[in-house]
PDB file of all heavy atoms in Angstrom:
ATOM      1  N   TYR A  62       0.838  -1.212   0.000  1.00  0.00           N
ATOM      2  CA  TYR A  62       0.000   0.000   0.000  1.00  0.00           C
ATOM      3  C   TYR A  62       0.870   1.258   0.000  1.00  0.00           C
ATOM      4  O   TYR A  62       0.666   2.180  -0.802  1.00  0.00           O
ATOM      5  CB  TYR A  62      -0.908  -0.024   1.224  1.00  0.00           C
ATOM      6  CG  TYR A  62      -1.762   1.210   1.383  1.00  0.00           C
ATOM      7  CD1 TYR A  62      -3.003   1.307   0.768  1.00  0.00           C
ATOM      8  CD2 TYR A  62      -1.326   2.286   2.155  1.00  0.00           C
ATOM      9  CE1 TYR A  62      -3.797   2.439   0.910  1.00  0.00           C
ATOM     10  CE2 TYR A  62      -2.108   3.420   2.311  1.00  0.00           C
ATOM     11  CZ  TYR A  62      -3.337   3.493   1.687  1.00  0.00           C
ATOM     12  OH  TYR A  62      -4.103   4.617   1.831  1.00  0.00           O
ATOM     13  N   PHE A  63       1.873   1.301   0.897  1.00  0.00           N
ATOM     14  CA  PHE A  63       2.707   2.495   0.995  1.00  0.00           C
ATOM     15  C   PHE A  63       3.623   2.647  -0.218  1.00  0.00           C
ATOM     16  O   PHE A  63       3.947   3.768  -0.629  1.00  0.00           O
ATOM     17  CB  PHE A  63       3.521   2.469   2.283  1.00  0.00           C
ATOM     18  CG  PHE A  63       2.707   2.717   3.525  1.00  0.00           C
ATOM     19  CD1 PHE A  63       2.645   1.770   4.530  1.00  0.00           C
ATOM     20  CD2 PHE A  63       1.980   3.888   3.663  1.00  0.00           C
ATOM     21  CE1 PHE A  63       1.880   1.996   5.663  1.00  0.00           C
ATOM     22  CE2 PHE A  63       1.218   4.121   4.793  1.00  0.00           C
ATOM     23  CZ  PHE A  63       1.165   3.171   5.802  1.00  0.00           C
ATOM     24  N   ILE A  64       4.053   1.531  -0.814  1.00  0.00           N
ATOM     25  CA  ILE A  64       4.867   1.613  -2.030  1.00  0.00           C
ATOM     26  C   ILE A  64       4.064   2.249  -3.158  1.00  0.00           C
ATOM     27  O   ILE A  64       4.544   3.148  -3.863  1.00  0.00           O
ATOM     28  CB  ILE A  64       5.373   0.204  -2.426  1.00  0.00           C
ATOM     29  CG1 ILE A  64       6.507  -0.228  -1.494  1.00  0.00           C
ATOM     30  CG2 ILE A  64       5.842   0.183  -3.882  1.00  0.00           C
ATOM     31  CD1 ILE A  64       6.930  -1.671  -1.691  1.00  0.00           C
ATOM     32  N   ILE A  65       2.835   1.787  -3.340  1.00  0.00           N
ATOM     33  CA  ILE A  65       1.993   2.351  -4.396  1.00  0.00           C
ATOM     34  C   ILE A  65       1.660   3.812  -4.096  1.00  0.00           C
ATOM     35  O   ILE A  65       1.678   4.662  -4.994  1.00  0.00           O
ATOM     36  CB  ILE A  65       0.712   1.513  -4.561  1.00  0.00           C
ATOM     37  CG1 ILE A  65       1.073   0.096  -5.038  1.00  0.00           C
ATOM     38  CG2 ILE A  65      -0.253   2.167  -5.539  1.00  0.00           C
ATOM     39  CD1 ILE A  65      -0.089  -0.857  -5.072  1.00  0.00           C
ATOM     40  N   ALA A  66       1.369   4.110  -2.820  1.00  0.00           N
ATOM     41  CA  ALA A  66       1.070   5.493  -2.454  1.00  0.00           C
ATOM     42  C   ALA A  66       2.260   6.402  -2.730  1.00  0.00           C
ATOM     43  O   ALA A  66       2.106   7.509  -3.277  1.00  0.00           O
ATOM     44  CB  ALA A  66       0.679   5.560  -0.976  1.00  0.00           C
ATOM     45  N   GLU A  67       3.466   5.952  -2.388  1.00  0.00           N
ATOM     46  CA  GLU A  67       4.661   6.764  -2.628  1.00  0.00           C
ATOM     47  C   GLU A  67       4.909   6.926  -4.119  1.00  0.00           C
ATOM     48  O   GLU A  67       5.289   8.008  -4.594  1.00  0.00           O
ATOM     49  CB  GLU A  67       5.869   6.108  -1.963  1.00  0.00           C
ATOM     50  CG  GLU A  67       7.159   6.909  -2.055  1.00  0.00           C
ATOM     51  CD  GLU A  67       7.068   8.233  -1.317  1.00  0.00           C
ATOM     52  OE1 GLU A  67       6.512   8.261  -0.203  1.00  0.00           O
ATOM     53  OE2 GLU A  67       7.532   9.249  -1.872  1.00  0.00           O
ATOM     54  N   ALA A  68       4.701   5.858  -4.880  1.00  0.00           N
ATOM     55  CA  ALA A  68       4.914   5.940  -6.330  1.00  0.00           C
ATOM     56  C   ALA A  68       3.943   6.931  -6.967  1.00  0.00           C
ATOM     57  O   ALA A  68       4.334   7.741  -7.823  1.00  0.00           O
ATOM     58  CB  ALA A  68       4.754   4.553  -6.960  1.00  0.00           C
ATOM     59  N   LEU A  69       2.679   6.886  -6.574  1.00  0.00           N
ATOM     60  CA  LEU A  69       1.707   7.832  -7.128  1.00  0.00           C
ATOM     61  C   LEU A  69       2.006   9.262  -6.682  1.00  0.00           C
ATOM     62  O   LEU A  69       1.790  10.219  -7.455  1.00  0.00           O
ATOM     63  CB  LEU A  69       0.293   7.427  -6.712  1.00  0.00           C
ATOM     64  CG  LEU A  69      -0.223   6.105  -7.300  1.00  0.00           C
ATOM     65  CD1 LEU A  69      -1.626   5.803  -6.795  1.00  0.00           C
ATOM     66  CD2 LEU A  69      -0.201   6.142  -8.825  1.00  0.00           C
ATOM     67  N   THR A  70       2.505   9.434  -5.471  1.00  0.00           N
ATOM     68  CA  THR A  70       2.911  10.768  -5.021  1.00  0.00           C
ATOM     69  C   THR A  70       4.067  11.288  -5.856  1.00  0.00           C
ATOM     70  O   THR A  70       4.098  12.470  -6.249  1.00  0.00           O
ATOM     71  CB  THR A  70       3.301  10.721  -3.540  1.00  0.00           C
ATOM     72  OG1 THR A  70       2.192  10.270  -2.772  1.00  0.00           O
ATOM     73  CG2 THR A  70       3.722  12.098  -3.048  1.00  0.00           C
ATOM     74  N   ASN A  71       5.034  10.422  -6.156  1.00  0.00           N
ATOM     75  CA  ASN A  71       6.158  10.826  -7.017  1.00  0.00           C
ATOM     76  C   ASN A  71       5.668  11.254  -8.397  1.00  0.00           C
ATOM     77  O   ASN A  71       6.141  12.242  -8.966  1.00  0.00           O
ATOM     78  CB  ASN A  71       7.149   9.669  -7.166  1.00  0.00           C
ATOM     79  CG  ASN A  71       7.936   9.418  -5.898  1.00  0.00           C
ATOM     80  OD1 ASN A  71       8.023  10.277  -5.028  1.00  0.00           O
ATOM     81  ND2 ASN A  71       8.507   8.229  -5.792  1.00  0.00           N
ATOM     82  N   ILE A  72       4.719  10.494  -8.935  1.00  0.00           N
ATOM     83  CA  ILE A  72       4.179  10.832 -10.258  1.00  0.00           C
ATOM     84  C   ILE A  72       3.511  12.198 -10.216  1.00  0.00           C
ATOM     85  O   ILE A  72       3.690  13.037 -11.108  1.00  0.00           O
ATOM     86  CB  ILE A  72       3.196   9.742 -10.719  1.00  0.00           C
ATOM     87  CG1 ILE A  72       3.946   8.433 -10.989  1.00  0.00           C
ATOM     88  CG2 ILE A  72       2.440  10.184 -11.970  1.00  0.00           C
ATOM     89  CD1 ILE A  72       3.033   7.263 -11.276  1.00  0.00           C
ATOM     90  N   THR A  73       2.747  12.436  -9.162  1.00  0.00           N
ATOM     91  CA  THR A  73       2.030  13.711  -9.045  1.00  0.00           C
ATOM     92  C   THR A  73       3.003  14.890  -8.906  1.00  0.00           C
ATOM     93  O   THR A  73       2.810  15.936  -9.528  1.00  0.00           O
ATOM     94  CB  THR A  73       1.087  13.668  -7.841  1.00  0.00           C
ATOM     95  OG1 THR A  73       0.173  12.571  -8.002  1.00  0.00           O
ATOM     96  CG2 THR A  73       0.310  14.958  -7.710  1.00  0.00           C
ATOM     97  N   LYS A  74       4.048  14.715  -8.107  1.00  0.00           N
ATOM     98  CA  LYS A  74       4.946  15.825  -7.807  1.00  0.00           C
ATOM     99  C   LYS A  74       6.018  16.052  -8.869  1.00  0.00           C
ATOM    100  O   LYS A  74       6.395  17.190  -9.145  1.00  0.00           O
ATOM    101  CB  LYS A  74       5.633  15.588  -6.456  1.00  0.00           C
ATOM    102  CG  LYS A  74       4.707  15.679  -5.258  1.00  0.00           C
ATOM    103  CD  LYS A  74       5.500  15.496  -3.972  1.00  0.00           C
ATOM    104  CE  LYS A  74       4.628  15.655  -2.742  1.00  0.00           C
ATOM    105  NZ  LYS A  74       5.404  15.465  -1.481  1.00  0.00           N
ATOM    106  N   HIS A  75       6.537  14.976  -9.447  1.00  0.00           N
ATOM    107  CA  HIS A  75       7.768  15.116 -10.230  1.00  0.00           C
ATOM    108  C   HIS A  75       7.654  14.716 -11.696  1.00  0.00           C
ATOM    109  O   HIS A  75       8.469  15.150 -12.509  1.00  0.00           O
ATOM    110  CB  HIS A  75       8.884  14.263  -9.599  1.00  0.00           C
ATOM    111  CG  HIS A  75       9.105  14.522  -8.135  1.00  0.00           C
ATOM    112  ND1 HIS A  75       9.644  15.687  -7.663  1.00  0.00           N
ATOM    113  CD2 HIS A  75       8.835  13.754  -7.055  1.00  0.00           C
ATOM    114  CE1 HIS A  75       9.720  15.639  -6.333  1.00  0.00           C
ATOM    115  NE2 HIS A  75       9.230  14.479  -5.941  1.00  0.00           N
ATOM    116  N   ALA A  76       6.691  13.867 -12.057  1.00  0.00           N
ATOM    117  CA  ALA A  76       6.732  13.259 -13.388  1.00  0.00           C
ATOM    118  C   ALA A  76       6.184  14.159 -14.483  1.00  0.00           C
ATOM    119  O   ALA A  76       6.578  14.030 -15.647  1.00  0.00           O
ATOM    120  CB  ALA A  76       5.960  11.930 -13.390  1.00  0.00           C
ATOM    121  N   GLY A  77       5.257  15.064 -14.151  1.00  0.00           N
ATOM    122  CA  GLY A  77       4.595  15.836 -15.201  1.00  0.00           C
ATOM    123  C   GLY A  77       3.808  14.949 -16.138  1.00  0.00           C
ATOM    124  O   GLY A  77       3.750  15.197 -17.353  1.00  0.00           O
ATOM    125  N   ALA A  78       3.186  13.903 -15.586  1.00  0.00           N
ATOM    126  CA  ALA A  78       2.498  12.911 -16.415  1.00  0.00           C
ATOM    127  C   ALA A  78       1.048  13.305 -16.638  1.00  0.00           C
ATOM    128  O   ALA A  78       0.438  14.029 -15.846  1.00  0.00           O
ATOM    129  CB  ALA A  78       2.572  11.536 -15.753  1.00  0.00           C
ATOM    130  N   SER A  79       0.506  12.804 -17.738  1.00  0.00           N
ATOM    131  CA  SER A  79      -0.916  12.996 -18.028  1.00  0.00           C
ATOM    132  C   SER A  79      -1.720  11.743 -17.731  1.00  0.00           C
ATOM    133  O   SER A  79      -2.952  11.787 -17.715  1.00  0.00           O
ATOM    134  CB  SER A  79      -1.102  13.380 -19.498  1.00  0.00           C
ATOM    135  OG  SER A  79      -0.601  12.354 -20.353  1.00  0.00           O
ATOM    136  N   ALA A  80      -1.057  10.623 -17.515  1.00  0.00           N
ATOM    137  CA  ALA A  80      -1.747   9.374 -17.212  1.00  0.00           C
ATOM    138  C   ALA A  80      -0.808   8.450 -16.457  1.00  0.00           C
ATOM    139  O   ALA A  80       0.410   8.497 -16.627  1.00  0.00           O
ATOM    140  CB  ALA A  80      -2.247   8.686 -18.491  1.00  0.00           C
ATOM    141  N   ALA A  81      -1.385   7.622 -15.620  1.00  0.00           N
ATOM    142  CA  ALA A  81      -0.622   6.636 -14.854  1.00  0.00           C
ATOM    143  C   ALA A  81      -1.427   5.347 -14.797  1.00  0.00           C
ATOM    144  O   ALA A  81      -2.632   5.329 -15.075  1.00  0.00           O
ATOM    145  CB  ALA A  81      -0.322   7.151 -13.449  1.00  0.00           C
ATOM    146  N   SER A  82      -0.749   4.270 -14.445  1.00  0.00           N
ATOM    147  CA  SER A  82      -1.432   2.986 -14.306  1.00  0.00           C
ATOM    148  C   SER A  82      -0.777   2.197 -13.193  1.00  0.00           C
ATOM    149  O   SER A  82       0.426   2.305 -12.946  1.00  0.00           O
ATOM    150  CB  SER A  82      -1.383   2.187 -15.622  1.00  0.00           C
ATOM    151  OG  SER A  82      -0.052   1.834 -15.942  1.00  0.00           O
ATOM    152  N   VAL A  83      -1.580   1.408 -12.518  1.00  0.00           N
ATOM    153  CA  VAL A  83      -1.110   0.531 -11.444  1.00  0.00           C
ATOM    154  C   VAL A  83      -1.603  -0.875 -11.753  1.00  0.00           C
ATOM    155  O   VAL A  83      -2.796  -1.084 -12.017  1.00  0.00           O
ATOM    156  CB  VAL A  83      -1.634   0.984 -10.068  1.00  0.00           C
ATOM    157  CG1 VAL A  83      -1.205  -0.011  -8.987  1.00  0.00           C
ATOM    158  CG2 VAL A  83      -1.132   2.377  -9.728  1.00  0.00           C
ATOM    159  N   ARG A  84      -0.687  -1.820 -11.731  1.00  0.00           N
ATOM    160  CA  ARG A  84      -1.047  -3.224 -11.939  1.00  0.00           C
ATOM    161  C   ARG A  84      -0.624  -4.014 -10.711  1.00  0.00           C
ATOM    162  O   ARG A  84       0.512  -3.907 -10.247  1.00  0.00           O
ATOM    163  CB  ARG A  84      -0.375  -3.787 -13.184  1.00  0.00           C
ATOM    164  CG  ARG A  84      -0.805  -5.218 -13.501  1.00  0.00           C
ATOM    165  CD  ARG A  84      -0.211  -5.704 -14.817  1.00  0.00           C
ATOM    166  NE  ARG A  84      -0.743  -7.014 -15.183  1.00  0.00           N
ATOM    167  CZ  ARG A  84      -0.225  -8.164 -14.777  1.00  0.00           C
ATOM    168  NH1 ARG A  84       0.854  -8.162 -14.003  1.00  0.00           N
ATOM    169  NH2 ARG A  84      -0.762  -9.313 -15.142  1.00  0.00           N
ATOM    170  N   LEU A  85      -1.534  -4.802 -10.203  1.00  0.00           N
ATOM    171  CA  LEU A  85      -1.294  -5.608  -9.010  1.00  0.00           C
ATOM    172  C   LEU A  85      -1.620  -7.050  -9.347  1.00  0.00           C
ATOM    173  O   LEU A  85      -2.738  -7.364  -9.753  1.00  0.00           O
ATOM    174  CB  LEU A  85      -2.175  -5.106  -7.862  1.00  0.00           C
ATOM    175  CG  LEU A  85      -1.812  -5.523  -6.443  1.00  0.00           C
ATOM    176  CD1 LEU A  85      -0.428  -5.026  -6.074  1.00  0.00           C
ATOM    177  CD2 LEU A  85      -2.834  -4.979  -5.463  1.00  0.00           C
ATOM    178  N   ALA A  86      -0.625  -7.904  -9.205  1.00  0.00           N
ATOM    179  CA  ALA A  86      -0.817  -9.324  -9.491  1.00  0.00           C
ATOM    180  C   ALA A  86      -0.089 -10.128  -8.424  1.00  0.00           C
ATOM    181  O   ALA A  86       0.625  -9.576  -7.577  1.00  0.00           O
ATOM    182  CB  ALA A  86      -0.306  -9.678 -10.891  1.00  0.00           C
ATOM    183  N   ALA A  87      -0.255 -11.431  -8.471  1.00  0.00           N
ATOM    184  CA  ALA A  87       0.354 -12.268  -7.443  1.00  0.00           C
ATOM    185  C   ALA A  87       0.500 -13.689  -7.938  1.00  0.00           C
ATOM    186  O   ALA A  87      -0.273 -14.168  -8.773  1.00  0.00           O
ATOM    187  CB  ALA A  87      -0.475 -12.244  -6.157  1.00  0.00           C
ATOM    188  N   THR A  88       1.537 -14.340  -7.422  1.00  0.00           N
ATOM    189  CA  THR A  88       1.673 -15.781  -7.535  1.00  0.00           C
ATOM    190  C   THR A  88       1.435 -16.361  -6.144  1.00  0.00           C
ATOM    191  O   THR A  88       1.030 -15.651  -5.223  1.00  0.00           O
ATOM    192  CB  THR A  88       3.058 -16.158  -8.061  1.00  0.00           C
ATOM    193  OG1 THR A  88       4.060 -15.713  -7.126  1.00  0.00           O
ATOM    194  CG2 THR A  88       3.323 -15.494  -9.407  1.00  0.00           C
ATOM    195  N   ASP A  89       1.699 -17.642  -5.982  1.00  0.00           N
ATOM    196  CA  ASP A  89       1.459 -18.254  -4.675  1.00  0.00           C
ATOM    197  C   ASP A  89       2.323 -17.630  -3.589  1.00  0.00           C
ATOM    198  O   ASP A  89       1.911 -17.544  -2.434  1.00  0.00           O
ATOM    199  CB  ASP A  89       1.726 -19.765  -4.741  1.00  0.00           C
ATOM    200  CG  ASP A  89       0.670 -20.485  -5.561  1.00  0.00           C
ATOM    201  OD1 ASP A  89      -0.422 -19.899  -5.755  1.00  0.00           O
ATOM    202  OD2 ASP A  89       0.946 -21.602  -6.022  1.00  0.00           O
ATOM    203  N   ASP A  90       3.535 -17.215  -3.955  1.00  0.00           N
ATOM    204  CA  ASP A  90       4.460 -16.730  -2.930  1.00  0.00           C
ATOM    205  C   ASP A  90       5.032 -15.351  -3.212  1.00  0.00           C
ATOM    206  O   ASP A  90       5.986 -14.932  -2.557  1.00  0.00           O
ATOM    207  CB  ASP A  90       5.616 -17.724  -2.759  1.00  0.00           C
ATOM    208  CG  ASP A  90       6.350 -17.990  -4.070  1.00  0.00           C
ATOM    209  OD1 ASP A  90       5.962 -17.396  -5.105  1.00  0.00           O
ATOM    210  OD2 ASP A  90       7.303 -18.778  -4.072  1.00  0.00           O
ATOM    211  N   THR A  91       4.486 -14.614  -4.174  1.00  0.00           N
ATOM    212  CA  THR A  91       5.037 -13.311  -4.519  1.00  0.00           C
ATOM    213  C   THR A  91       3.908 -12.347  -4.882  1.00  0.00           C
ATOM    214  O   THR A  91       2.964 -12.719  -5.566  1.00  0.00           O
ATOM    215  CB  THR A  91       6.009 -13.417  -5.719  1.00  0.00           C
ATOM    216  OG1 THR A  91       7.019 -14.378  -5.422  1.00  0.00           O
ATOM    217  CG2 THR A  91       6.687 -12.073  -5.983  1.00  0.00           C
ATOM    218  N   LEU A  92       4.049 -11.121  -4.411  1.00  0.00           N
ATOM    219  CA  LEU A  92       3.143 -10.040  -4.785  1.00  0.00           C
ATOM    220  C   LEU A  92       3.866  -9.146  -5.785  1.00  0.00           C
ATOM    221  O   LEU A  92       4.999  -8.706  -5.535  1.00  0.00           O
ATOM    222  CB  LEU A  92       2.742  -9.239  -3.547  1.00  0.00           C
ATOM    223  CG  LEU A  92       1.622  -8.212  -3.719  1.00  0.00           C
ATOM    224  CD1 LEU A  92       0.324  -8.905  -4.094  1.00  0.00           C
ATOM    225  CD2 LEU A  92       1.443  -7.406  -2.444  1.00  0.00           C
ATOM    226  N   LEU A  93       3.250  -8.885  -6.934  1.00  0.00           N
ATOM    227  CA  LEU A  93       3.878  -8.158  -8.026  1.00  0.00           C
ATOM    228  C   LEU A  93       3.174  -6.822  -8.206  1.00  0.00           C
ATOM    229  O   LEU A  93       1.957  -6.772  -8.395  1.00  0.00           O
ATOM    230  CB  LEU A  93       3.797  -8.974  -9.321  1.00  0.00           C
ATOM    231  CG  LEU A  93       4.302 -10.418  -9.233  1.00  0.00           C
ATOM    232  CD1 LEU A  93       4.005 -11.157 -10.526  1.00  0.00           C
ATOM    233  CD2 LEU A  93       5.792 -10.442  -8.944  1.00  0.00           C
ATOM    234  N   ILE A  94       3.959  -5.748  -8.176  1.00  0.00           N
ATOM    235  CA  ILE A  94       3.426  -4.388  -8.309  1.00  0.00           C
ATOM    236  C   ILE A  94       4.110  -3.719  -9.490  1.00  0.00           C
ATOM    237  O   ILE A  94       5.342  -3.748  -9.595  1.00  0.00           O
ATOM    238  CB  ILE A  94       3.681  -3.560  -7.036  1.00  0.00           C
ATOM    239  CG1 ILE A  94       3.065  -4.246  -5.815  1.00  0.00           C
ATOM    240  CG2 ILE A  94       3.146  -2.144  -7.185  1.00  0.00           C
ATOM    241  CD1 ILE A  94       3.511  -3.646  -4.497  1.00  0.00           C
ATOM    242  N   THR A  95       3.327  -3.115 -10.372  1.00  0.00           N
ATOM    243  CA  THR A  95       3.865  -2.361 -11.502  1.00  0.00           C
ATOM    244  C   THR A  95       3.154  -1.018 -11.563  1.00  0.00           C
ATOM    245  O   THR A  95       1.924  -0.975 -11.679  1.00  0.00           O
ATOM    246  CB  THR A  95       3.686  -3.107 -12.836  1.00  0.00           C
ATOM    247  OG1 THR A  95       4.269  -4.405 -12.743  1.00  0.00           O
ATOM    248  CG2 THR A  95       4.353  -2.339 -13.967  1.00  0.00           C
ATOM    249  N   VAL A  96       3.926   0.059 -11.482  1.00  0.00           N
ATOM    250  CA  VAL A  96       3.385   1.416 -11.570  1.00  0.00           C
ATOM    251  C   VAL A  96       4.057   2.098 -12.761  1.00  0.00           C
ATOM    252  O   VAL A  96       5.291   2.149 -12.846  1.00  0.00           O
ATOM    253  CB  VAL A  96       3.630   2.215 -10.280  1.00  0.00           C
ATOM    254  CG1 VAL A  96       2.999   3.599 -10.391  1.00  0.00           C
ATOM    255  CG2 VAL A  96       3.072   1.476  -9.073  1.00  0.00           C
ATOM    256  N   ARG A  97       3.247   2.618 -13.674  1.00  0.00           N
ATOM    257  CA  ARG A  97       3.751   3.207 -14.915  1.00  0.00           C
ATOM    258  C   ARG A  97       3.159   4.598 -15.097  1.00  0.00           C
ATOM    259  O   ARG A  97       2.012   4.857 -14.724  1.00  0.00           O
ATOM    260  CB  ARG A  97       3.377   2.316 -16.101  1.00  0.00           C
ATOM    261  CG  ARG A  97       3.820   2.815 -17.460  1.00  0.00           C
ATOM    262  CD  ARG A  97       3.183   1.953 -18.559  1.00  0.00           C
ATOM    263  NE  ARG A  97       3.586   0.567 -18.454  1.00  0.00           N
ATOM    264  CZ  ARG A  97       4.599   0.046 -19.123  1.00  0.00           C
ATOM    265  NH1 ARG A  97       5.306   0.802 -19.957  1.00  0.00           N
ATOM    266  NH2 ARG A  97       4.902  -1.240 -18.988  1.00  0.00           N
ATOM    267  N   ASP A  98       3.957   5.501 -15.690  1.00  0.00           N
ATOM    268  CA  ASP A  98       3.425   6.817 -16.055  1.00  0.00           C
ATOM    269  C   ASP A  98       4.051   7.266 -17.368  1.00  0.00           C
ATOM    270  O   ASP A  98       5.090   6.740 -17.790  1.00  0.00           O
ATOM    271  CB  ASP A  98       3.694   7.857 -14.949  1.00  0.00           C
ATOM    272  CG  ASP A  98       5.166   8.228 -14.834  1.00  0.00           C
ATOM    273  OD1 ASP A  98       5.660   9.015 -15.658  1.00  0.00           O
ATOM    274  OD2 ASP A  98       5.831   7.728 -13.903  1.00  0.00           O
ATOM    275  N   ASP A  99       3.409   8.226 -18.037  1.00  0.00           N
ATOM    276  CA  ASP A  99       3.888   8.718 -19.329  1.00  0.00           C
ATOM    277  C   ASP A  99       4.558  10.083 -19.185  1.00  0.00           C
ATOM    278  O   ASP A  99       4.530  10.897 -20.111  1.00  0.00           O
ATOM    279  CB  ASP A  99       2.730   8.811 -20.329  1.00  0.00           C
ATOM    280  CG  ASP A  99       1.638   9.783 -19.868  1.00  0.00           C
ATOM    281  OD1 ASP A  99       1.748  10.298 -18.728  1.00  0.00           O
ATOM    282  OD2 ASP A  99       0.699  10.034 -20.639  1.00  0.00           O
ATOM    283  N   GLY A 100       5.181  10.319 -18.041  1.00  0.00           N
ATOM    284  CA  GLY A 100       5.798  11.609 -17.768  1.00  0.00           C
ATOM    285  C   GLY A 100       7.137  11.797 -18.442  1.00  0.00           C
ATOM    286  O   GLY A 100       7.508  11.082 -19.369  1.00  0.00           O
ATOM    287  N   ARG A 101       7.898  12.759 -17.898  1.00  0.00           N
ATOM    288  CA  ARG A 101       9.157  13.166 -18.531  1.00  0.00           C
ATOM    289  C   ARG A 101      10.287  12.180 -18.323  1.00  0.00           C
ATOM    290  O   ARG A 101      11.323  12.264 -18.990  1.00  0.00           O
ATOM    291  CB  ARG A 101       9.574  14.542 -18.003  1.00  0.00           C
ATOM    292  CG  ARG A 101       9.898  14.581 -16.517  1.00  0.00           C
ATOM    293  CD  ARG A 101      10.386  15.957 -16.085  1.00  0.00           C
ATOM    294  NE  ARG A 101       9.362  16.948 -16.251  1.00  0.00           N
ATOM    295  CZ  ARG A 101       8.520  17.316 -15.276  1.00  0.00           C
ATOM    296  NH1 ARG A 101       8.597  16.722 -14.078  1.00  0.00           N
ATOM    297  NH2 ARG A 101       7.611  18.235 -15.468  1.00  0.00           N
ATOM    298  N   GLY A 102      10.145  11.231 -17.406  1.00  0.00           N
ATOM    299  CA  GLY A 102      11.194  10.243 -17.173  1.00  0.00           C
ATOM    300  C   GLY A 102      12.374  10.835 -16.434  1.00  0.00           C
ATOM    301  O   GLY A 102      12.309  11.918 -15.846  1.00  0.00           O
ATOM    302  N   GLY A 103      13.493  10.108 -16.483  1.00  0.00           N
ATOM    303  CA  GLY A 103      14.710  10.582 -15.832  1.00  0.00           C
ATOM    304  C   GLY A 103      14.672  10.472 -14.322  1.00  0.00           C
ATOM    305  O   GLY A 103      15.436  11.153 -13.641  1.00  0.00           O
ATOM    306  N   ALA A 104      13.808   9.616 -13.762  1.00  0.00           N
ATOM    307  CA  ALA A 104      13.743   9.456 -12.309  1.00  0.00           C
ATOM    308  C   ALA A 104      15.047   8.841 -11.809  1.00  0.00           C
ATOM    309  O   ALA A 104      15.601   7.928 -12.421  1.00  0.00           O
ATOM    310  CB  ALA A 104      12.557   8.579 -11.925  1.00  0.00           C
TER     311      ALA A 104
END
C-alpha cells in the first residue's frame, strides 16, 4: 500500500504525467506491483 502510495505521489509531484497505471498481481508466494506513467522520465 505504501509503495503504491509513494509511487503515485512521485508521479504527481515530479513526473509531469498525463496518465498513470497501477497493476497488481500475485503468484502463490510473490506479490507483483507495476506502476507506470507517461511523464518526462529521468527518475
Side-chain angles (χ1 to χ4, degrees):
Y62 177 87
F63 288 120
I64 285 172
I65 296 173
E67 184 64 42
L69 293 179
T70 301
N71 288 341
I72 292 173
T73 302
K74 291 183 177 180
H75 307 290
S79 60
S82 65
V83 176
R84 184 175 186 273
L85 197 61
T88 62
D89 290 341
D90 56 0
T91 305
L92 190 64
L93 308 173
I94 303 168
T95 305
V96 182
R97 179 189 299 266
D98 70 78
D99 61 355
R101 64 176 64 94

